[in-house]
Amino acid sequence: PVNRPGTLSIKVVTRRAAADVSQDLSPPDEVVSVAPLTAQFVGEPLEELEDEGVLASSRVVEVKIDRIRRIGGQVAELGFRWNHDPSRIRSHAIRWTVLPAVESEPTALILDADSVGQERTLTIRSRGRPLRILKIAAPESISASIGEQTLGMEHQLRISVKRLRPIDAVLSELVVSTDHPDQAQLLIPILVQARAKGGDDEGGWTR
């Protein structure tokens, strides 16, 4: 989750001809990492003889990931070195995803002309610990409310659309403020469903 450290384990496998180890790749002796990663080998290499005289060596790498505040996909690289040839280094990309501490279902509020006067419900969920919703900021054309300000893993956010105008696809966003220590705000996009010009509503709807 966002703003929390993490760990993962990966297995590095090298293969070489068992009959002539001098001409093929032996297991790496060192792993090199930079922030936000810290990596080290765990244990000694394990060897296994595969088909056709190929010797496979594997090493487990423990990777620690620093706290990251940016939600979404992340990528960083590890480097591997060999003592007998310090100039040789091979890199490997590590990819992982930082999950939000607070999220909504659905993730966006999608509106059209028929939404006026209707009530929608969004579910706000916390990951890992209960939270309180402290404040909800919404555009003037939308009313947003929640029941009691209780501590819980889920909260139901009630949305009522007062009016809409022919505008661009993105109206604005709902800003939900919480007491979660790892994510103080949740931004929920408000999208207006496209309608071709010349529709039933005066001025038409455009995307």
Side-chain angles (χ1 to χ4, degrees):
V2 64
N3 203 31
R4 294 290 181 95
T7 59
L8 59 88
S9 294
I10 63 173
K11 181 183 290 187
V12 179
V13 180
T14 60
R15 291 176 171 86
R16 62 187 189 273
D20 188 1
V21 298
S22 64
Q23 296 184 10
D24 294 294
L25 191 62
S26 60
D29 300 293
E30 180 185 2
V31 57
V32 182
S33 60
V34 296
L37 304 183
T38 304
Q40 63 180 6
F41 286 119
V42 178
E44 297 298 322
L46 300 177
E47 296 188 338
E48 179 182 1
L49 187 62
E50 297 181 340
D51 295 339
E52 299 179 358
V54 175
L55 187 64
S57 300
S58 62
R59 300 201 71 173
V60 175
V61 182
E62 181 183 73
V63 183
K64 295 182 179 180
I65 306 172
D66 294 341
R67 297 173 183 264
I68 296 179
R69 294 184 178 274
R70 184 167 60 89
I71 295 170
Q74 315 290 329
V75 62
E77 287 194 348
L78 297 178
F80 297 95
R81 287 188 175 135
W82 286 259
N83 291 338
H84 69 275
D85 186 2
S87 64
R88 168 191 276 181
I89 184 167
R90 294 197 176 186
S91 61
H92 178 76
I94 301 295
R95 292 178 173 84
W96 72 99
T97 301
V98 175
L99 300 175
V102 184
E103 55 192 348
S104 69
E105 175 63 36
T107 57
L109 182 61
I110 302 176
L111 307 174
D112 58 21
D114 297 329
S115 301
V116 177
Q118 295 183 354
E119 185 173 283
R120 304 285 185 88
T121 300
L122 295 177
T123 300
I124 309 299
R125 292 191 177 94
S126 175
R127 190 184 302 273
R129 53 150 287 170
L131 60 77
R132 284 186 177 89
I133 293 182
L134 305 177
K135 182 182 177 182
I136 304 167
E140 292 183 359
S141 59
I142 291 177
S143 173
S145 63
I146 197 165
E148 297 180 4
Q149 300 289 338
T150 57
L151 191 67
M153 299 296 292
E154 286 192 3
H155 297 272
Q156 300 299 314
L157 182 61
R158 294 186 295 274
I159 306 295
S160 178
V161 181
K162 295 182 286 187
R163 65 183 183 278
L164 288 177
R165 297 172 298 169
I167 54 178
D168 292 337
V170 179
L171 174 63
S172 184
E173 59 193 8
L174 296 173
V175 182
V176 181
S177 299
T178 80
D179 67 349
H180 199 296
D182 296 324
Q183 188 175 340
Q185 286 189 336
L186 171 65
L187 305 181
I188 304 174
I190 303 173
L191 308 177
V192 177
Q193 192 172 18
R195 178 176 294 182
K197 289 185 177 181
D200 296 336
D201 297 277
E202 182 180 353
W205 291 71
T206 60
R207 185 175 181 84

